[in-house]
């Protein structure tokens, strides 16, 4: 089989490529390089000669994607390509609906016409919206009421997937599909090849590490008056390699005719203050911290219950210690203070 990975030049997609290539899979990836980087693809192609095909283009381009599917005999799709900033989705909702829902629909139309048997969708826990305290930790049956266009556009595609599976099963040509939902992904490949490079960077751990490197003046804590033990927000930080491990396990387990929905998480949260302290301990660097105002739309406590995938597939996060997560990122950040070095704004 050949696996098509969409968005393989991005943070999570590139880590997925590494894992699939290590397992000896034949892989082709499509990425429009809007937010991704060419460098991780080159590094992977150097490490695994002849095993990874890169196609620069858009998943909305049905002609291009059909050609890739036919040329490579794609049977499995792992779909990471997406726009992923909540704030940006509020400012540019139509762009998010186009990038996350319409483009994914175009991809699905091509899958329907080709020999795809399995579709693994990298969804998001933002599809749950802001569940009340009675729904935390979040389980897969927690009602999905997204509160921004990012979460709504990802949920819309989940629904398209389920409809597709239902119709294909009833027409005697069953396909399998899964949606994996998660919140905060962190850390980098512990082998040191791949890292995390967003532009702009807004995520907590990379922002702190950039402050530790002296690339930012300070780190701002978005609110210290939440109803949590130290007043800062609590989140569930999952190591990127554990996240990718779950995707691969689901890919291996998924049978035609099945639909699966799983939360991916450690199952416990850390506060912003705890993350800052872990970064201080790991980096051994001093950096300024300023308590600032709350950021709009941040719920106080978010963590998910991963027991469904643990019970059904035996998946559990291996890296559950926050220090270990930060260490893997710090190693890459120290060696690549400017990231992959191809972002115009930071070159
Ligand atoms: N956060 C913060 N300062 C920052 C970036 C993030 O205090 O510069 C907080 C944010 O309010 C949230 C947590 O850190 O409570 C994780 O934020 P991130 O943007 O990494 O992920 P999110 O939870 O929004 O998906």
């Amino acid at each position: 089989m050949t696996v098509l990975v969409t968005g393989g030049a991005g943070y999570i997609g590139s880590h997925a490529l590494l894992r699939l290539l290590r397992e000896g899979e034949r892989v082709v990836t499509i990425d429009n390089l809007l937010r991704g980087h060419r460098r991780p693809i080159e590094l992977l192609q150097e490490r695994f000669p002849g095993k990874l095909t890169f196609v620069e283009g858009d998943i909305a381009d049905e002609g291009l994607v059909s050609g890739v599917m036919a040329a490579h005999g794609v049977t499995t799709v792992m779909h990471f390509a997406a726009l992923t900033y909540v704030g940006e989705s509020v400012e540019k909702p139509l762009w998010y609906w186009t990038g996350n829902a319409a483009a994914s629909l175009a991809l699905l139309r091509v899958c329907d016409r080709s020999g795809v048997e399995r579709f693994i969708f990298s969804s998001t826990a933002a599809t749950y919206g802001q569940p009340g305290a009675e729904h935390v930790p979040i389980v897969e049956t927690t009602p999905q009421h997204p509160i921004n266009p990012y979460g709504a556009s990802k949920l819309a595609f989940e629904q398209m997937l389920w409809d597709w599976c239902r119709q294909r099963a009833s027409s005697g040509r069953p396909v399998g599909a899964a949606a994996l939902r998660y919140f905060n992904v962190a850390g980098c490949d512990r082998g040191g090849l791949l890292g995390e490079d967003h532009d702009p960077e807004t995520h907590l751990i990379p922002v702190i590490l950039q402050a530790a490197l002296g690339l930012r003046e300070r780190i701002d804590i978005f609110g210290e008056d939440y109803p949590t033990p130290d007043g800062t927000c609590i989140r569930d930080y999952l190591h990127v390699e554990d996240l990718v491990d779950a995707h691969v396990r689901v890919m291996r387990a998924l049978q035609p005719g099945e639909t699966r929905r799983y939360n991916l998480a450690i199952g416990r949260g850390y506060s912003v203050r705890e993350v800052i302290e872990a970064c201080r301990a790991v980096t051994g660097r001093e950096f300024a911290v300023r308590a600032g105002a709350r950021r709009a739309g941040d719920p106080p406590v978010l963590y998910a219950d991963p027991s469904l995938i643990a019970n059904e597939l035996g998946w559990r996060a291996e890296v559950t210690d926050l220090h270990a997560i930060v260490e893997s990122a710090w190693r890459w950040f120290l060696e690549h203070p400017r990231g992959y070095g191809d972002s115009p704004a930071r070159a």
Side-chain angles (χ1 to χ4, degrees), residues 183-237:
F183 287 113
N184 301 72
V185 186
C188 298
D189 157 37
R190 283 168 293 169
L193 186 70
L194 302 179
E196 177 172 17
D197 181 0
H198 294 114
D199 189 18
E201 186 55 80
T202 61
H203 297 108
L204 182 62
I205 292 175
V207 163
I208 300 173
L209 297 183
Q210 287 177 350
L213 283 169
L215 298 172
R216 283 177 194 261
E217 221 178 295
R218 58 164 192 275
I219 161 86
D220 288 303
I221 298 180
F222 297 151
E224 282 199 310
D225 56 350
Y226 284 98
T228 59
D230 66 14
T232 65
C233 286
I234 292 176
R235 296 287 181 272
D236 188 320
Y237 296 87

Side-chain angles (χ1 to χ4, degrees), residues 158-194:
E158 283 196 12
Q159 290 166 339
M160 293 179 209
L161 259 189
W162 311 142
D163 284 346
W164 180 54
C165 286
R166 199 165 26 246
Q167 180 269 324
R168 286 287 295 260
S170 66
S171 67
R173 292 188 305 136
V175 288
L180 306 183
R181 304 170 186 150
Y182 47 89
F183 287 113
N184 301 72
V185 186
C188 298
D189 157 37
R190 283 168 293 169
L193 186 70
L194 302 179

Side-chain angles (χ1 to χ4, degrees), residues 56-241:
E56 184 176 345
D58 205 291
I59 54 161
D61 182 342
E62 293 191 32
L64 175 93
V65 179
S66 305
V68 168
M69 298 265 189
H72 294 270
V74 171
T75 52
T76 301
V77 175
M78 223 180 250
H79 181 30
F80 295 98
L83 299 166
T84 59
Y85 293 103
V86 167
E88 186 179 62
S89 81
V90 176
E91 280 158 30
K92 301 178 181 170
L94 300 187
W95 194 42
Y96 268 66
W97 279 102
T98 306
N100 290 350
S104 299
L105 174 59
L107 172 68
L108 197 56
R109 286 157 55 91
V110 176
C111 292
D112 189 47
R113 294 196 296 268
S114 67
V116 170
E117 294 162 355
R118 269 178 236 93
F119 196 111
I120 295 94
F121 175 42
S122 203
S123 185
T124 170
T127 57
Y128 292 113
Q130 264 188 32
E134 74 280 12
H135 286 301
V136 175
I138 294 168
V139 291
E140 286 78 358
T141 48
T142 298
Q144 289 174 290
H145 297 300
I147 54 162
N148 49 58
Y150 168 60
S153 60
K154 297 284 278 192
L155 177 59
F157 186 67
E158 283 196 12
Q159 290 166 339
M160 293 179 209
L161 259 189
W162 311 142
D163 284 346
W164 180 54
C165 286
R166 199 165 26 246
Q167 180 269 324
R168 286 287 295 260
S170 66
S171 67
R173 292 188 305 136
V175 288
L180 306 183
R181 304 170 186 150
Y182 47 89
F183 287 113
N184 301 72
V185 186
C188 298
D189 157 37
R190 283 168 293 169
L193 186 70
L194 302 179
E196 177 172 17
D197 181 0
H198 294 114
D199 189 18
E201 186 55 80
T202 61
H203 297 108
L204 182 62
I205 292 175
V207 163
I208 300 173
L209 297 183
Q210 287 177 350
L213 283 169
L215 298 172
R216 283 177 194 261
E217 221 178 295
R218 58 164 192 275
I219 161 86
D220 288 303
I221 298 180
F222 297 151
E224 282 199 310
D225 56 350
Y226 284 98
T228 59
D230 66 14
T232 65
C233 286
I234 292 176
R235 296 287 181 272
D236 188 320
Y237 296 87
L238 179 63
H239 194 270
V240 65
E241 289 175 298

